Amino acid sequence: MVQPFDIHPFRPVDLPAMQEIRRLAFKPVFQSFRDLVGEEIGERVFSDADAEQSRLLETLCGTGSGHQVFVVTVNDEVVGFVTFSLDEKKQVGEIGLNAMHPEHAGHGLGAAMYTFVLERMKSAGMKVATVSTGGDPSHAPARRAYAKIGFGPVIPSVSLYRLL
């Protein structure tokens, strides 16, 4: 059962809560990446992943970024966020960086957030929606949430690493 929630456009006052949600939601993802590639590669490739993603979120929330940003609130507390962009020429909308606070994950809020975005895309004349996510075990909840609202087919992607 989805608890009562609200979705509204990002406001600068929301950014600290969004950064904390992003940090909490992606901490296991970044650890999974390091576990998969091993400590030596992981330290070189992913040591700045959190800081890089933090800067990305700030950029996406910035004026003129070309992205729309919305937050999900429960009892006036930010519990999730989603960014998306619209390519009017191709009529393709793309869901970008998004996260749900781990304490609120798995209760339908993510699906509601994505459905909200899809409705906005459709209203804007988009004919196709895309989203990209990882294929590793830490991204399984995201893949389930996207499948739950009808995303598919899937184009697999692989990232390969080696020491030199």
Side-chain angles (χ1 to χ4, degrees), residues 11 13 32 50 62 68 75 81-82 149 164:
R11 300 169 304 194
V13 70
S32 172
D50 184 69
Q68 296 184 42
N75 298 322
F81 69 88
V82 60
I149 59 164
L164 300 176

mmCIF file of all heavy atoms in Angstrom, residues 11 13 32 50 62 68 75 81-82 149 164:
data_model
loop_
_atom_site.group_PDB
_atom_site.id
_atom_site.type_symbol
_atom_site.label_atom_id
_atom_site.label_comp_id
_atom_site.label_asym_id
_atom_site.label_seq_id
_atom_site.Cartn_x
_atom_site.Cartn_y
_atom_site.Cartn_z
ATOM 1 N N ARG A 11 13.032 22.367 -5.284
ATOM 2 C CA ARG A 11 13.346 23.703 -4.769
ATOM 3 C C ARG A 11 14.747 23.628 -4.168
ATOM 4 O O ARG A 11 15.109 22.578 -3.618
ATOM 5 C CB ARG A 11 12.352 24.120 -3.683
ATOM 6 C CG ARG A 11 10.902 24.178 -4.155
ATOM 7 C CD ARG A 11 9.977 24.320 -2.982
ATOM 8 N NE ARG A 11 10.234 23.206 -2.041
ATOM 9 C CZ ARG A 11 9.445 22.866 -1.046
ATOM 10 N NH1 ARG A 11 8.358 23.524 -0.810
ATOM 11 N NH2 ARG A 11 9.746 21.862 -0.250
ATOM 12 N N VAL A 13 15.945 24.409 -1.465
ATOM 13 C CA VAL A 13 15.931 23.952 -0.074
ATOM 14 C C VAL A 13 15.869 22.416 0.010
ATOM 15 O O VAL A 13 16.221 21.835 1.041
ATOM 16 C CB VAL A 13 14.764 24.611 0.702
ATOM 17 C CG1 VAL A 13 13.414 24.077 0.255
ATOM 18 C CG2 VAL A 13 14.950 24.451 2.197
ATOM 19 N N SER A 32 29.050 -2.437 -4.312
ATOM 20 C CA SER A 32 28.883 -3.576 -5.212
ATOM 21 C C SER A 32 29.855 -3.484 -6.378
ATOM 22 O O SER A 32 30.472 -4.481 -6.776
ATOM 23 C CB SER A 32 27.440 -3.626 -5.723
ATOM 24 O OG SER A 32 27.295 -4.602 -6.729
ATOM 25 N N ASP A 50 31.056 8.793 -5.331
ATOM 26 C CA ASP A 50 30.056 9.528 -4.557
ATOM 27 C C ASP A 50 30.170 11.033 -4.811
ATOM 28 O O ASP A 50 29.168 11.710 -5.040
ATOM 29 C CB ASP A 50 30.191 9.216 -3.070
ATOM 30 C CG ASP A 50 29.112 9.899 -2.257
ATOM 31 O OD1 ASP A 50 27.939 9.500 -2.378
ATOM 32 O OD2 ASP A 50 29.435 10.855 -1.522
ATOM 33 N N GLY A 62 20.591 22.536 -11.389
ATOM 34 C CA GLY A 62 20.935 23.913 -11.714
ATOM 35 C C GLY A 62 20.069 24.490 -12.824
ATOM 36 O O GLY A 62 19.566 23.774 -13.690
ATOM 37 N N GLN A 68 14.414 18.295 -15.894
ATOM 38 C CA GLN A 68 13.373 18.601 -14.928
ATOM 39 C C GLN A 68 13.644 17.744 -13.696
ATOM 40 O O GLN A 68 14.072 16.594 -13.817
ATOM 41 C CB GLN A 68 11.997 18.308 -15.514
ATOM 42 C CG GLN A 68 11.672 19.188 -16.714
ATOM 43 C CD GLN A 68 10.275 18.969 -17.222
ATOM 44 O OE1 GLN A 68 9.338 18.852 -16.442
ATOM 45 N NE2 GLN A 68 10.121 18.914 -18.543
ATOM 46 N N ASN A 75 4.662 13.413 4.420
ATOM 47 C CA ASN A 75 4.577 14.276 5.610
ATOM 48 C C ASN A 75 5.575 15.442 5.525
ATOM 49 O O ASN A 75 6.286 15.740 6.490
ATOM 50 C CB ASN A 75 4.801 13.476 6.892
ATOM 51 C CG ASN A 75 3.746 12.419 7.088
ATOM 52 O OD1 ASN A 75 2.578 12.628 6.786
ATOM 53 N ND2 ASN A 75 4.157 11.262 7.581
ATOM 54 N N PHE A 81 13.610 11.435 -5.220
ATOM 55 C CA PHE A 81 13.705 12.443 -6.274
ATOM 56 C C PHE A 81 13.920 11.754 -7.617
ATOM 57 O O PHE A 81 14.356 10.608 -7.690
ATOM 58 C CB PHE A 81 14.843 13.439 -5.998
ATOM 59 C CG PHE A 81 16.220 12.841 -6.110
ATOM 60 C CD1 PHE A 81 16.885 12.802 -7.326
ATOM 61 C CD2 PHE A 81 16.838 12.300 -5.002
ATOM 62 C CE1 PHE A 81 18.145 12.231 -7.438
ATOM 63 C CE2 PHE A 81 18.097 11.735 -5.094
ATOM 64 C CZ PHE A 81 18.757 11.701 -6.319
ATOM 65 N N VAL A 82 13.608 12.483 -8.667
ATOM 66 C CA VAL A 82 13.802 11.973 -10.019
ATOM 67 C C VAL A 82 14.146 13.139 -10.937
ATOM 68 O O VAL A 82 13.603 14.233 -10.790
ATOM 69 C CB VAL A 82 12.544 11.218 -10.526
ATOM 70 C CG1 VAL A 82 11.315 12.120 -10.565
ATOM 71 C CG2 VAL A 82 12.791 10.578 -11.891
ATOM 72 N N ILE A 149 6.442 -0.830 -13.964
ATOM 73 C CA ILE A 149 5.644 0.191 -14.646
ATOM 74 C C ILE A 149 5.710 0.046 -16.164
ATOM 75 O O ILE A 149 5.291 0.945 -16.888
ATOM 76 C CB ILE A 149 6.043 1.616 -14.216
ATOM 77 C CG1 ILE A 149 7.504 1.883 -14.517
ATOM 78 C CG2 ILE A 149 5.728 1.826 -12.750
ATOM 79 C CD1 ILE A 149 7.843 3.354 -14.487
ATOM 80 N N LEU A 164 46.562 -2.766 -15.718
ATOM 81 C CA LEU A 164 47.638 -2.627 -16.717
ATOM 82 C C LEU A 164 48.994 -2.733 -16.033
ATOM 83 O O LEU A 164 49.156 -2.415 -14.897
ATOM 84 C CB LEU A 164 47.526 -1.277 -17.431
ATOM 85 C CG LEU A 164 46.217 -1.043 -18.175
ATOM 86 C CD1 LEU A 164 46.193 0.361 -18.756
ATOM 87 C CD2 LEU A 164 46.044 -2.068 -19.286
#
